[in-house]
């Protein structure tokens, strides 16, 4: 009698153990595995147009061509940001005068007064076609332009920097030239770097087409030859 009761007690204990094990194997709904969605590895905020423009501007100045904005969307937020950035550049009065004189030269309207007012007699002028040293060489290049082009128009210009130390003006320019022979048009985008002396006159001007100058072997020699030959064929008015 006693032995039988002990056997039933063991059975009840076994059922309790099995029930406990089953409960452990069958978790409640609240403890069931759930799928966790992790945040995307992509940034939530994309770069702003102003940031992109800033990077592009730096790249352009470093020699990388920057595509022009599409004319289909005028007065965009990027335009407004660009205008505010330009206004933030404190353009010196003398730099403004030099820039205005240079625009006259690029538009094929050279005058003795411009060179007297804004150019050092020993200045250096360089572009992909020439490396000029001194008045007679660089003035001949400017006076040759009206003979080559029937028209020249500044499509756009944008000041990139205007500093006191060094005394330098840097701006981007897009110029459209019309050849006298054939009437073909050519658009040149360039970065123009202007260094000035203590009298606020140009001592060096570097006109970098598409943000660069030629570096291939022999290019400097040919550009110097062009600078020396041009005065033989181009008349420079006396001051």
């Amino acid at each position: 009698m006693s032995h039988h009761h002990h056997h039933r007690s063991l059975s009840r204990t076994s059922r309790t153990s099995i029930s406990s094990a089953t409960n452990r194997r069958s978790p409640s709904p609240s403890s069931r595995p759930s799928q966790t969605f992790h945040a995307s590895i992509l940034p939530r905020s994309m770069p702003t147009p102003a940031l992109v423009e800033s990077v592009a501007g730096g790249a352009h100045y470093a020699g990388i061509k920057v595509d022009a904005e599409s004319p289909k969307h005028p007065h965009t937020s990027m335009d407004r940001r660009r205008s505010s950035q330009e206004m933030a550049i404190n353009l010196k009065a003398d730099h403004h005068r030099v820039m205005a004189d240079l625009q006259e030269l690029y538009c094929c309207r050279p005058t003795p007064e411009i060179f007297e007012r804004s150019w050092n007699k020993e200045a250096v002028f360089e572009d992909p076609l020439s490396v000029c040293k001194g008045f007679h060489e660089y003035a001949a290049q400017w006076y040759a332009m009206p003979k080559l082009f029937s028209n020249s128009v500044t499509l756009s210009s944008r000041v990139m920097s205007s500093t006191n130390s060094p005394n330098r003006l840097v701006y981007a320019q897009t110029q459209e030239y019309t050849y006298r022979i054939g009437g073909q048009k050519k658009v040149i985008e360039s970065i123009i770097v202007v260094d000035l002396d203590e009298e606020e006159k140009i001592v060096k001007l570097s006109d970098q087409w598409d943000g660069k100058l030629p570096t291939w072997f022999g290019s400097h020699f040919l550009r110097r030859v062009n600078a020396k030959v041009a005065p033989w064929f181009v008349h420079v008015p006396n001051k």
Side-chain angles (χ1 to χ4, degrees):
M1 186 70 178
S2 170
H3 177 73
H4 180 70
H5 177 75
H6 179 68
H7 178 73
R8 292 181 61 186
S9 176
L10 287 174
S11 299
R12 192 180 305 112
T13 304
S14 299
R15 286 196 301 270
T16 303
S17 300
I18 293 173
S19 176
S20 300
T22 303
N23 291 337
R24 286 195 298 269
R25 287 195 300 266
S26 303
S28 63
S30 60
S31 62
R32 290 176 182 174
S34 61
Q35 187 176 2
T36 303
F37 294 90
H38 296 279
S40 171
I41 60 174
L42 296 176
R44 292 185 177 181
S45 59
M46 297 301 291
T48 64
L51 177 60
V52 174
E53 180 183 2
S54 175
V55 174
H60 193 172
Y61 182 62
I64 300 175
K65 184 176 179 181
V66 179
D67 293 332
E69 293 179 21
S70 171
K72 297 180 181 179
H73 303 284
H75 308 298
T76 61
S77 59
M78 183 178 292
D79 295 329
R80 290 191 293 271
R81 289 189 179 93
R82 171 172 292 178
S83 298
S84 62
Q85 289 173 354
E86 290 177 356
M87 292 176 62
I89 297 177
N90 185 19
L91 184 63
K92 296 173 54 178
D94 287 313
H95 286 188
H96 186 276
R97 182 252 309 162
V98 168
M99 190 172 176
D101 281 347
L102 287 176
Q103 184 171 350
E104 288 295 297
L105 293 178
Y106 277 106
C107 290
C108 299
R109 295 188 290 264
T111 64
E113 290 76 18
I114 289 177
F115 295 106
E116 180 69 25
R117 178 171 56 239
S118 295
W119 284 77
N120 185 296
K121 295 285 185 63
E122 305 301 321
V124 173
F125 167 80
E126 65 173 345
D127 65 7
L129 302 179
S130 63
V131 178
C132 304
K133 298 179 180 180
F135 171 78
H136 292 290
E137 292 186 3
Y138 67 69
Q141 297 293 324
W142 293 112
Y143 278 103
M145 290 178 60
K147 300 180 181 299
L148 296 174
F149 307 108
S150 60
N151 191 36
S152 178
V153 179
T154 302
L155 301 181
S156 67
S157 61
R158 178 168 61 93
V159 176
M160 301 175 70
S161 68
S162 175
T163 58
N164 290 313
S165 182
N167 192 358
R168 177 176 294 166
L169 168 66
V170 181
Y171 65 98
Q173 175 177 276
T174 301
Q175 195 79 12
E176 182 185 71
Y177 300 94
T178 303
Y179 287 96
R180 286 193 177 276
I181 299 177
Q184 295 180 334
K185 296 181 183 294
K186 181 178 180 61
V187 176
I188 296 179
E189 297 180 359
S190 58
I191 301 296
I192 299 173
V193 182
V194 186
D195 289 306
L196 300 102
D197 60 16
E198 63 278 0
E199 295 181 355
E200 303 297 340
K201 292 187 176 183
I202 299 170
V203 292
K204 183 176 181 181
L205 188 151
S206 179
D207 185 351
Q208 305 171 13
W209 296 2
D210 288 332
K212 56 185 179 290
L213 292 171
T215 57
W216 46 272
F217 179 76
S219 61
H220 183 80
F221 172 77
L222 293 178
R223 292 159 67 206
R224 283 296 295 140
V225 170
N226 182 18
K228 289 183 174 294
V229 169
W232 298 353
F233 303 97
V234 179
H235 172 68
V236 175
N238 294 325
K239 296 182 179 180

